Amino acid sequence: VQLQASGGGLVQAGGSMRLSCAASGRTFDILGWFRQAPGKEREFVAAITWNGRRKAIADFAKGRFTVSRDDSKDVVWLQMDSLEPEDTAVYYCATREGSILYSSSNEYYYWGQGTLVTVSS
């Protein structure tokens, strides 16, 4: 599987940004979003089944972030609203097979290259 995350950039606090993850090469069951801030460990953001029917989202993201799938394309979106400087990180998408929406990055097999999101105060 080849994954291409994009959509990052610079945004002011309180603003919004939408990230996309395009998948190619083979189908998969679960796609997860993770992020890693400087000096911190990689953390779970959200996950979605490929059919879009089940989703999981981290507590810090609830009410602000939404994960969805574009039915017409092999693309998964991460809509991020009410962004805070603490959301500054490199955001990665990753995939795995199976039916469980794991939140551990160790459970994901294939990773994209990441896209940098910077939220200014």
Side-chain angles (χ1 to χ4, degrees), residues 67-86:
V67 62
S68 62
R69 185 202 165 201
D70 187 326
D71 290 339
S72 63
K73 306 175 185 177
D74 290 336
V75 174
V76 173
W77 304 100
L78 182 67
Q79 175 68 41
M80 305 185 295
D81 300 317
S82 302
L83 284 163
E84 305 166 350
E86 293 74 22

Side-chain angles (χ1 to χ4, degrees), residues 83-104:
L83 284 163
E84 305 166 350
E86 293 74 22
D87 296 316
T88 295
V90 177
Y91 285 71
Y92 299 89
C93 55
T95 62
R96 63 160 288 121
E97 297 174 355
S99 62
I100 300 176
L101 297 169
Y102 288 102
S103 60
S104 170

